Amino acid sequence: MSFTNVENQVELIKEISGSDPYKCMKCGKCSASCPSYNEMDIKPHQFASYIIRGDVDELLSSKSAWKCLSCFACIERCPRDVQPGKLVDAARQLAERQRGGDHLQADEIPELLAEDLPQQLLVSAFRRYRR
Amino acid sequence: MQRIGVFVCHCGTNIAATVDVKKVVEMVRYEQGVVFADDYMYMCSEAGQEKIIEAIKEYKLTGLVICSCSPRMHEKTFRACAEKAGLNPYMVEVANIREQCSWIHKDKEEATKKAVILARAAIAKVNLNTPLKEGESPVTKRALVIGGGIAGIQTALDIADAGYEVDIVEKEPSIGGRMSQFDKTFPTLDCASCILTPKMVEVNQHPNITLYTYSEVEKVSGYVGNFDVGIRKKARSVDFDKCTGCGECMTKCPLGKIGHIPSEFDRGLKNRPAIYMPFAQAVPAVPVIDRENCTYFKTGKCGVCAKICPSKAVDYEQQDEIVTVKYGAIVVATGFDIINLDKFGEYAYNESPDVITSIELERLMNAAGPTGGHLERMSDHKQPKDIVFIQCVGSRCDNEEKGKPYCSKVCCMYTAKHAMLIKDHWPDTNITVFYIDVRTPGKNFDEFYRRAVEQYHVNYIKGQVGKVMPQPDGSLLVQAADLLDGKQIKMKADMVVLAAAIEPNPGVRKIATMLTASIDNNNFLTEAHAKLRPVESPTAGIFLSGMAQGPKDIPETVSQAGAAAVKVVGLLAKDKLKTNPCTAQCDTLLCNGCSTCANVCPYGAITYEDIQVNDHGLRETRRVAQVNLALCQGCGACTSACPSGAMDLQGFSNRQITTEVDAICR
Ligand SMILES: Cc1cc2nc3c(=O)[nH]c(=O)nc-3n(C[C@H](O)[C@H](O)[C@H](O)COP(=O)(O)OP(=O)(O)OC[C@H]3O[C@@H](n4cnc5c(N)ncnc54)[C@H](O)[C@@H]3O)c2cc1C
Ligand code: SF4
Ligand code: SF4
Ligand code: SF4
Ligand code: SF4
């Protein structure tokens, strides 16, 4: 996945996640809350700067992208409503969209529960459907 | 024989937790002269003072010893309390068993012993105390403000508006200070000259304000209420009354084009003629000739300005003039400058014209500045696309050879301001700020900085810059740390802006010495009490305003300026001041007229006179010291210097002090 226009990519991620990475003040409360922190190479408080810089590829190829449990502890506690969990989720979704997997049919889900779809995507999909 | 009452204060737990106050009471009860001793939770409280008053009446006390906090804190309180009960206030002694005992000791037994010793010393002294009476001195109802920056301007306006006469002495040709160099000001981004110029004009026109620009304070004598100040008015070489401020001379001075005289106001980014006003809105709008550079003063030739001046105002013969004026109060508002960056070779400030300081950037963005407000590189006049800001250059730096240990306080805010102003004008500019901490406390301040990040997408990176390397292609390579991502980064920049540490104006040392006002290790003026008397110097009659006292921004400066003005007005409103009765006295029988005391007296209070004495039937004339009681501040320098023991300080006599020492050593 590659983007020529960094601002555009940031805009897309902002749109999907509904959050603004520029608001992050690097206080570290997300990293302090994250149950997967020790498993991650890029830590939650770094997500925002990776996205601002356009280093989405690096973020997605890191362990962190798939170690995030979508537990949303960080989202709950972030003092500036940056929602790093949603940012990384948006990055994952962006990658999926680029691969053509744009949306999900409810009755396809049981089938997808099988091997290769990352658990995290399903979790966030469920959250979306529940609304 | 005195009848002394001793009162031991708990100060809540401040004293009582470390000193066994009950024990102190028991231990001092039988000291010489003591007829009453008690302890109480807070001696300074109303109830505590009531206790003292009752005891004075009931036991007919003639002297008091209060064992409590430092006399700097409450000596005044207890003296007033004694006076209320009809006791002379100078019959009160304070034994400091808090700062000098409970706060610095841990062991309760040891601390209690020491408290008893301190109390005994004070008791021994009171035994020798005599009632003293304060004198009176008149107050000159005129104030002096040294420094005409925003601090001095505001202080002068507030004093003048309250109805008192006030003079400003400013060393530059115009008032205005640093603020007049700025483009816009945080946190509201209003144009600096739009808000400053009207104040400068008001100062110039105010009937109660006299301006001495291009002038310096040269000599100060006297004391609170009665200072005599010698002011040197440097020769402007332009007649104040004839000059209309048309500026013809400045445009015609040949050195304007060929002289290479760097403009101080434009921080050397532009040259100026030898006859000049620092900037267009200068107040007063009368130029000065810089005699060091002027061709006429160097070679006797030229004289163009005198010929061209339509009002015949240029006067090469003008001389410096010294005026002596009396003042009741003096305000120091000498402001600041930024530090010299020679020791910071790593930032290439002296190597590349495109590495600039923030004040230079202010000039480069100012419509009245050297580039007409167009931001450009000094090397090739191109507009920079990538700009790197480096914070804390020399601030928070413990290496005193290079920098300053304190935070300069204003740079985090002005850098956010600079970044947003640049982005507003030239949105395509990429701006990176390297910081250690972003420090933006204050009303609407953090929001201001966050706007730079969130709205203007200024890239803030936590980490310092290690090195700036000028490249052959004219760009600058910046090597820095990104601590949050744990990376070392290298990035190209077209311009690097350094937030250089501020320091008090170097001339303040001289001023402080003349005023006997104390300054700290960093040359900031010291306040009488950091929290409770922040605009007063410990020296009576001297007040502090603006950056000269410590790093602060314009809103804080203006508030402090107002506070200093109120203190000055409070002083000038009095017709008479009580003088300190603890002054020196010369025993003419012992004095041999050696002059030692006059040499050490910082207030010039000692003179000599010839008197006739009768020494064992031998009549002779002797030269002896005489103390001017109005000038003596009771510092005691003469009493310790006098080789004959002739000088003695009332209230702190040599005998009282040796008795105290004896009591301690008992
Ligand atoms: C780059 C930069 C940008 C800034 N931007 C802002 C901003 O946007 N908003 C804000 O609130 N603050 C800003 N500040 C802070 C602001 O400059 C100060 O708060 C303010 O100037 C302090 O005023 P002052 O009168 O104490 O000192 P100064 O402005 O330094 O004035 C002192 C005056 O005293 C004179 N003087 C000095 N010594 C003597 C002497 N011995 N005899 C006679 N006169 C003497 C000087 O010539 C000068 O005119 C900025 C500071 C910097 C460095
Ligand atoms: S995302 Fe939120 S919680 Fe995490 S560092 Fe940024 S501001 Fe703090
Ligand atoms: S949502 Fe992901 S990043 Fe956020 S706390 Fe949970 S696991 Fe960590
Ligand atoms: S006399 Fe001096 S100030 Fe006047 S024009 Fe000549 S060089 Fe300039
Ligand atoms: S205000 Fe900011 S840049 Fe200036 S010294 Fe303090 S922390 Fe450093």
Side-chain angles (χ1 to χ4, degrees):
Chain A
M1 185 183 68
S2 66
F3 292 89
T4 41
N5 186 337
V6 170
E7 284 276 334
N8 191 23
Q9 182 187 8
V10 178
E11 281 312 310
L12 263 172
I13 287 181
K14 272 165 85 170
E15 191 186 304
I16 298 172
S17 65
S19 85
D20 178 0
Y22 286 105
K23 291 201 61 132
C24 173
M25 60 180 182
K26 302 184 174 72
C27 68
K29 193 153 185 187
C30 48
S31 287
S33 309
C34 176
S36 294
Y37 181 86
N38 287 332
E39 317 281 320
M40 292 183 173
D41 39 7
I42 298 173
K43 309 297 185 187
H45 68 272
Q46 295 174 296
F47 292 174
S49 17
Y50 272 74
I51 286 163
I52 290 171
R53 284 201 303 262
D55 291 339
V56 179
D57 278 350
E58 217 182 316
L59 184 58
L60 280 174
S61 55
S62 71
K63 279 193 267 173
S64 310
W66 313 101
K67 286 290 178 190
C68 164
L69 305 170
S70 293
C71 75
F72 284 17
C74 55
I75 294 169
E76 187 63 28
R77 293 181 196 150
C78 170
R80 300 196 63 91
D81 207 19
V82 175
Q83 318 186 348
K86 282 198 186 170
L87 286 175
V88 74
D89 179 37
R92 287 188 299 249
Q93 287 195 36
L94 201 61
E96 274 308 303
R97 282 192 196 180
Q98 298 272 309
R99 292 216 301 252
D102 205 348
H103 46 270
L104 197 60
Q105 301 291 337
D107 44 359
E108 285 173 10
I109 291 174
E111 215 175 302
L112 290 171
L113 281 176
E115 302 289 284
D116 35 353
L117 190 78
Q119 187 69 16
Q120 288 86 341
L121 277 183
L122 284 174
V123 175
S124 46
F126 289 149
R127 288 195 209 259
R128 230 156 261 253
Y129 276 110
R130 225 180 37 172
R131 290 230 181 115
Chain B
M1 185 75 180
Q2 305 282 13
R3 298 179 57 81
I4 300 169
V6 182
F7 299 85
V8 186
C9 182
H10 298 216
C11 193
T13 53
N14 273 301
I15 293 171
T18 324
V19 169
D20 182 344
V21 287
K22 300 272 183 213
K23 179 130 187 239
V24 177
V25 170
E26 288 323 308
M27 295 296 286
V28 301
R29 200 181 282 290
Y30 303 106
E31 286 293 311
Q32 184 189 348
V34 175
V35 294
F36 176 79
D38 201 0
D39 61 281
Y40 188 63
M41 190 61 108
Y42 294 105
M43 277 327 304
C44 61
S45 66
E46 208 171 319
Q49 295 190 42
E50 248 347 285
K51 265 185 172 309
I52 297 176
I53 292 175
E54 274 168 29
I56 294 175
K57 291 185 178 149
E58 191 175 336
Y59 296 93
K60 303 198 170 34
L61 301 180
T62 60
L64 299 181
V65 169
I66 320 283
C67 305
S68 61
C69 51
S70 158
R72 288 181 70 142
M73 196 72 206
H74 277 312
E75 186 177 68
K76 236 178 151 174
T77 316
F78 296 126
R79 279 186 174 167
C81 167
E83 201 165 20
K84 249 196 219 161
L87 198 62
N88 182 283
Y90 293 87
M91 297 305 293
V92 179
E93 288 298 326
V94 174
N96 181 356
I97 62 163
R98 193 178 75 176
E99 285 84 342
Q100 289 178 358
C101 187
S102 69
W103 276 359
I104 50 169
H105 295 298
K106 288 204 176 74
D107 185 303
K108 194 160 182 174
E109 202 177 318
E110 288 295 317
T112 305
K113 259 194 219 163
K114 182 168 169 184
V116 171
I117 291 173
L118 291 170
R120 276 185 186 146
I123 295 165
K125 186 178 175 207
V126 174
N127 270 299
L128 298 179
N129 277 21
T130 47
L132 298 175
K133 198 168 159 19
E134 288 150 346
E136 276 184 345
S137 69
V139 179
T140 307
K141 299 195 180 273
R142 188 182 195 93
L144 169 67
V145 174
I146 309 174
I150 180 63
I153 289 176
Q154 190 61 49
T155 304
L157 284 174
D158 289 346
I159 297 172
D161 282 343
Y164 292 97
E165 287 183 306
V166 47
D167 299 353
I168 299 179
V169 170
E170 165 60 57
K171 69 177 167 59
E172 300 297 328
S174 170
I175 55 169
R178 292 286 88 75
M179 189 177 168
S180 58
Q181 295 174 299
F182 302 159
D183 182 31
K184 303 226 161 49
T185 50
F186 67 73
T188 42
L189 295 185
D190 26 14
C191 137
S193 54
C194 312
I195 55 176
L196 179 63
T197 315
K199 282 196 186 286
M200 289 164 58
V201 173
E202 200 184 336
V203 161
N204 204 24
Q205 295 175 348
H206 205 296
N208 284 345
I209 301 181
T210 307
L211 265 185
Y212 294 98
T213 49
Y214 209 45
S215 300
E216 275 174 53
V217 169
E218 199 150 275
K219 194 167 179 292
V220 181
S221 58
Y223 53 98
V224 55
N226 296 279
F227 294 104
D228 284 298
V229 179
I231 301 166
R232 175 181 292 272
K233 295 167 73 183
K234 286 186 280 180
R236 269 186 123 85
S237 315
V238 174
D239 188 318
F240 225 89
D241 299 325
K242 291 189 191 152
C243 173
T244 58
C246 69
E248 266 306 289
C249 52
M250 304 192 284
T251 56
K252 295 287 155 48
C253 171
L255 295 181
K257 297 213 173 55
I258 56 163
H260 307 295
I261 313 170
S263 150
E264 296 82 359
F265 188 77
D266 280 315
R267 291 264 157 187
L269 297 172
K270 197 178 153 186
N271 291 333
R272 61 157 171 81
I275 187 164
Y276 73 105
M277 286 185 220
F279 53 107
Q281 301 87 352
V283 167
V286 175
V288 300
I289 293 184
D290 158 13
R291 293 186 170 186
E292 257 166 46
N293 285 301
C294 165
T295 318
Y296 181 85
F297 282 95
K298 272 159 78 178
T299 67
K301 301 206 184 79
C302 187
V304 168
C305 51
K307 277 179 222 133
I308 190 90
C309 175
S311 329
K312 298 278 165 273
V314 176
D315 175 5
Y316 301 126
E317 306 305 319
Q318 222 179 53
Q319 298 292 322
D320 284 10
E321 195 187 327
I322 296 187
V323 291
T324 304
V325 189
K326 275 196 168 301
Y327 297 104
I330 300 178
V331 183
V332 191
T334 45
F336 74 105
D337 208 329
I338 54 172
I339 60 163
N340 180 300
L341 294 175
D342 288 352
K343 291 270 164 57
F344 288 91
E346 64 265 39
Y347 298 134
Y349 176 69
N350 291 336
E351 274 170 70
S352 167
D354 301 327
V355 179
I356 60 173
T357 66
S358 304
I359 299 196
E360 288 161 38
L361 181 68
E362 290 280 354
R363 295 312 299 150
L364 288 180
M365 295 204 304
N366 194 309
T371 55
H374 187 264
L375 182 59
E376 56 187 50
R377 289 160 38 107
M378 293 321 283
S379 61
D380 54 10
H381 303 289
K382 287 204 187 107
Q383 186 184 317
K385 184 113 184 21
D386 297 293
I387 305 181
V388 164
F389 284 84
I390 307 179
Q391 298 305 94
C392 296
V393 175
S395 295
R396 311 167 69 190
C397 164
D398 252 349
N399 177 346
E400 56 188 67
E401 300 264 291
K402 292 182 81 173
K404 303 287 172 187
Y406 48 83
C407 164
S408 294
K409 197 170 181 189
V410 284
C411 6
C412 281
M413 280 299 280
Y414 70 58
T415 294
K417 166 183 84 169
H418 291 153
M420 283 192 272
L421 290 176
I422 293 173
K423 283 279 211 180
D424 257 339
H425 284 289
W426 305 283
D428 286 343
T429 320
N430 299 314
I431 299 184
T432 308
V433 179
F434 288 97
Y435 68 91
I436 305 177
D437 297 285
V438 178
R439 294 184 163 170
T440 49
K443 191 168 159 188
N444 294 326
F445 279 23
D446 203 60
E447 294 90 327
F448 182 85
Y449 142 65
R450 289 309 304 171
R451 209 159 80 222
V453 179
E454 291 167 26
Q455 228 169 298
Y456 289 87
H457 297 177
V458 176
N459 185 17
Y460 272 76
I461 299 182
K462 179 174 170 70
Q464 266 293 21
V465 169
K467 202 162 168 49
V468 175
M469 293 160 275
Q471 300 297 295
D473 68 354
S475 67
L476 299 158
L477 187 65
V478 176
Q479 180 179 309
D482 180 339
L483 295 180
L484 292 175
D485 281 353
K487 288 177 186 153
Q488 192 183 68
I489 42 183
K490 284 202 172 79
M491 63 190 334
K492 280 216 165 190
D494 302 316
M495 185 182 259
V496 169
V497 186
L498 308 177
I502 63 131
E503 63 177 357
N505 206 306
V508 76
R509 277 199 86 90
K510 206 175 129 202
I511 300 274
T513 311
M514 282 191 273
L515 298 173
T516 63
S518 47
I519 46 178
D520 66 17
N521 290 342
N522 300 311
N523 286 353
F524 286 116
L525 287 151
T526 317
E527 51 282 8
H529 188 284
K531 280 157 272 181
L532 302 180
R533 293 174 67 197
V535 299
E536 293 156 85
S537 160
T539 306
I542 311 294
F543 302 89
L544 321 173
S545 180
M547 277 270 204
Q549 178 260 338
K552 58 180 69 66
D553 55 28
I554 297 165
E556 277 183 294
T557 297
V558 170
S559 327
Q560 200 192 22
V566 168
K567 292 285 170 192
V568 168
V569 167
L571 171 60
L572 299 189
K574 294 190 177 119
D575 291 323
K576 294 249 183 293
L577 290 180
K578 287 218 164 111
T579 56
N580 175 13
C582 299
T583 47
Q585 263 181 344
C586 176
D587 182 342
T588 49
L589 284 176
L590 294 177
C591 176
N592 62 20
C594 69
S595 291
T596 307
C597 52
N599 291 338
V600 297
C601 175
Y603 302 96
I606 298 170
T607 50
Y608 293 90
E609 64 162 4
D610 289 328
I611 57 164
Q612 299 292 327
V613 289
N614 187 340
D615 192 359
H616 300 95
L618 208 70
R619 290 180 67 84
E620 58 177 20
T621 307
R622 254 202 229 152
R623 179 173 184 266
V624 294
Q626 208 182 28
V627 181
N628 179 340
L629 296 186
L631 292 178
C632 174
Q633 299 295 299
C635 72
C638 55
T639 60
S640 48
C642 175
S644 345
M647 273 294 177
D648 216 356
L649 201 61
Q650 296 209 65
F652 295 91
S653 70
N654 295 337
R655 221 179 121 224
Q656 281 172 311
I657 287 170
T658 43
T659 311
E660 275 189 285
V661 175
D662 284 346
I664 289 170
C665 302
R666 198 154 70 197

